[in-house]
Amino acid sequence: WLGLTGGCAVCHDHKFDPISTKEFYSLYAFFNSAADPAMDGNRIDTPPILKLATVEQQKQLDAVARETKSVDGKIKAALKGFAYVDPATLIPLPGKTRMETVWLDEAIPAGAKAQGDGKAFDFVGEESGVKPFSGKVSLRRKAAGVTSQDFFNGAAAFEVTAGVKFFAHVWLDPKDPPKAIMLQFHTTGWEHRANFGDAEAIRYGDVKAKTKVQIGALPKPGEWVRLEVNPAAIGLKPGTKVNGAAFSQHGGTVHWDHAGWSVETNPATDPLYSIAVWDKANQGKIVKDAPKEISDILRSVKPEARTAAQSQKVRDYYLEYVSRAPDEALSSLRRERDAIKARQDALEKNVPVTFVMADLPQPRDAFVMMRGQYDKPGDKVEPATPAIFPPLKKAKPDARATRLDLAGWLLAPENPLTARVTMNRLWQQFFGTGIVKTSFDFGSQGTPPTHPELLDWLAVTFREGGWDTRKMIRLMLTSATFRQSSAATPALVQRDPENRLYARGPRFRLDAEQLRDNALYVSGLMNAEMGGKGVRIYQPPNIWEPVGFGGSNTRNYTQDTGAALYRRSIYCFLKRTAPPPFMTNFDAPNREQTCTVRERSDTPLQALQLMNDVQHFEAARAFAGRIMTEGGAAAADRIAFAYRAALSRKPTPEEGAIVQDALKKFLAEYSQAGDAAKKVISNGESKPKAGLPPNEFAAWTLVANLILNLDETINRN
């Protein structure tokens, strides 16, 4: 609360004693009743949240829900006629047996996305001259001396367990055999590959990185051969979830059929076949995938103590969602439900999410902790505000105060501090320094406002205008004060070095995020997409790794590609123990704690970054492409275009002459430098504009780099 309001004084001329210990804990009581957010790695939708579907999205979700309900009804009807006998109760007990789950046979799994190097999957029957291994069709692929493949992912995930083996049946054309074939498996990416035949023919994967493993020679052509792969051999550990497969080859004609995974098991001891074994394994545990009612029964009620209704509910859930016993009766319906679930997940993925706060059904009690010790509670306190402030008005006078009451109190007309602090922060953002310089402290120990009446007027206007932040920003930026020239005479600088009297326009360096966004915008590279998860942009290697935890999903830095590299800096993924250097170099906070005022330093690293960093140099090259294609044919016209784009003004004659001289120098250098120009224009992942002479393009890239590094470009004037 103190961080939100920026201090503990109601207005600039009030002085008072600090709040009491009891008042402090009364404030704390407001937030002690909040529900704890779920701690779940780096999920972007940890509850409590609200999903904000559009009307059209909601219609689609409702349609999917109806389909799900229909299939669930069919499954329940099928189970009524299924006579289940727990194999653990049979006498004698059954022996070991091998169970298979097939992914590819007559088709790919329900819900999976099929791809095949731009070609449709070619399922053929006996008319092809090859009798399928199983069913009526097999998957055929012909490749003319190159690597080609059929692959799918997005299927219902399969979790690798001990003893599992992947299998596939393959038939190689003896008249047109391939050099190599490969099985690949998809988890979060295609990083698990088993190769047969020539180890170098299929280039996917790296033997040293263990993302490609040589299993053996090519199978015998002219007959169906069963390939088997141990998941551990290709880096798939138990617990890993696999949701796709690829069938690759280099050249030749290959048929694939009846592929999936198998495991040798004893039904009497396997939780996928015996409800008694499964029930015992989940006793006293929270089963995350099960509905809360089922999880509660398993966790707190032993089988012998359950009512008939409870036992029936557990049995029905087990057979419908867990057991492999009714596979023959339910396999097609389960695949249909999986396909619907995949569609539902895809729809929900596109529904915007907003974070909210939620209260506990029963608020926690709050106490004054004796000498601050957590294990020594003293007097019990109720949520309340310090007595020095205007009294808190509760929506229900006889009930406990809520955080909604606190929010109303913060925005009440008799409490001007919230509006004053907010306006001071905005003023600081656009003028470099707040009307109250100590924006983190509005109390008696903070700096008094230079223009108290102005701050009061801004706060009242903000509150009475409906708390419209956009309107207040426009008001500040169109004011005569902001629109003044930044130029200053020596006498004025001596009289008011920090411009606290605002006799000139503000001038200070752009913040870290603004520097990068400005370069991307001027260059035309910026991706203005709104919302979504954080992106991992260009960054020097080995920054995360030394400070990462072994099991963390941020142990290693994996750079994004494509349009994600050019999103606004607000979307850059930030690891607090190893923040992006482009932000750190320009004084961006690491977010370990609240920051109300950023420092502004000047270091050689900043200049080196703006000149040589991949993102900035790539932006210069893209800007050069704009200059050459949009700026006209003459050098003077192009330079004028560059100045207007970057600085919103034309160059002076002197500036134009200097830049033209630099351009001539660069052109001369690159005409003699061989392949150097090609290296310049190929910097970064984005493709350079086509059809531009490399030497000239490289020279204009350096000109663009020069303009993007001008003092006037990187400073707000």
Side-chain angles (χ1 to χ4, degrees), residues 291-543:
K292 185 177 184 301
E293 182 182 20
I294 302 298
S295 182
D296 287 346
I297 294 172
L298 293 169
R299 181 167 58 90
S300 57
V301 187
K302 293 184 177 181
E304 60 272 16
R306 293 173 192 162
T307 65
Q310 288 176 326
S311 298
Q312 187 65 43
K313 287 178 180 178
V314 171
R315 182 182 184 277
D316 290 347
Y317 173 78
Y318 173 76
L319 291 177
E320 183 172 352
Y321 292 97
V322 181
S323 179
R324 294 283 304 278
D327 272 2
E328 187 173 339
L330 298 184
S331 58
S332 62
L333 289 171
R334 280 175 168 170
R335 283 198 298 270
E336 186 179 351
R337 183 169 63 184
D338 289 342
I340 296 171
K341 180 66 166 59
R343 283 167 42 215
Q344 182 182 29
D345 291 344
L347 286 170
E348 290 185 344
K349 186 178 179 181
N350 293 322
V351 174
V353 170
T354 185
F355 294 98
V356 296
M357 293 299 293
D359 283 325
L360 292 171
Q362 180 60 41
R364 298 185 185 95
D365 290 331
F367 302 88
V368 175
M369 299 301 177
M370 305 307 295
R371 300 186 64 81
Q373 291 185 223
Y374 71 90
D375 59 347
K376 291 187 177 180
D379 294 339
K380 184 177 178 180
V381 293
E382 290 288 317
T385 53
I388 190 68
F389 292 117
L392 176 74
K393 296 177 182 178
K394 296 189 289 186
K396 297 179 180 179
D398 297 331
R400 173 188 173 112
T402 66
R403 287 179 300 116
L404 185 59
D405 293 329
L406 178 63
W409 177 82
L410 284 170
L411 301 182
E414 57 268 24
N415 179 15
L417 187 58
T418 305
R420 287 167 51 79
V421 170
T422 305
M423 287 300 96
N424 195 64
R425 294 281 179 89
L426 278 184
W427 191 274
Q428 175 183 273
Q429 182 175 349
F430 297 117
F431 287 87
T433 307
I435 298 172
V436 176
K437 187 175 182 179
T438 54
S439 56
F440 51 88
D441 187 355
F442 268 49
S444 58
Q445 297 184 56
T447 304
T450 54
H451 302 71
E453 295 84 359
L454 172 61
L455 184 57
D456 288 342
W457 182 83
L458 288 170
V460 172
T461 303
F462 183 44
R463 189 190 69 222
E464 294 183 351
W467 306 90
D468 190 336
T469 305
R470 182 188 293 267
K471 177 181 177 181
M472 298 308 295
I473 290 174
R474 178 181 291 274
L475 181 66
M476 290 183 188
L477 298 188
T478 56
S479 67
T481 307
F482 182 84
R483 295 166 64 189
Q484 294 177 103
S485 169
S486 301
T489 63
L492 185 56
V493 171
Q494 185 176 5
R495 181 183 175 188
D496 184 17
E498 295 185 11
N499 195 28
R500 303 289 286 133
L501 301 177
Y502 307 112
R504 58 186 184 274
R507 185 179 190 278
F508 51 91
R509 197 198 65 219
L510 298 176
D511 288 332
E513 299 91 334
Q514 295 168 337
L515 282 166
R516 177 177 172 273
D517 291 356
N518 183 62
L520 290 177
Y521 182 81
V522 170
S523 69
L525 287 174
M526 177 175 280
N527 172 9
E529 179 187 352
M530 300 286 284
K533 65 178 184 177
V535 294
R536 301 181 183 185
I537 61 169
Y538 297 115
Q539 179 170 295
N542 203 38
I543 290 179

Side-chain angles (χ1 to χ4, degrees), residues 33 64 119 183 196 250 271 280 302 325 335 408 420 443 459 521 527 560 573 638 702:
S33 63
V64 169
K119 300 177 182 177
L183 282 170
F196 300 83
H250 187 283
K280 184 178 179 180
K302 293 184 177 181
R335 283 198 298 270
R420 287 167 51 79
Y521 182 81
N527 172 9
D560 279 319
F573 190 101
R638 290 178 174 180
L702 293 195

Side-chain angles (χ1 to χ4, degrees), residues 626-644:
R626 285 193 64 200
I627 293 170
M628 295 179 70
T629 56
E630 301 175 38
D637 292 338
R638 290 178 174 180
I639 293 169
F641 170 84
Y643 265 72
R644 289 198 305 273

Side-chain angles (χ1 to χ4, degrees), residues 647-658:
L647 305 177
S648 299
R649 69 172 178 85
K650 295 180 180 180
T652 65
E654 183 181 8
E655 288 171 331
I658 292 173

Side-chain angles (χ1 to χ4, degrees), residues 533-557:
K533 65 178 184 177
V535 294
R536 301 181 183 185
I537 61 169
Y538 297 115
Q539 179 170 295
N542 203 38
I543 290 179
W544 281 16
E545 288 72 9
V547 296
F549 294 105
S552 170
N553 59 359
T554 59
R555 173 70 179 87
N556 300 297
Y557 190 83

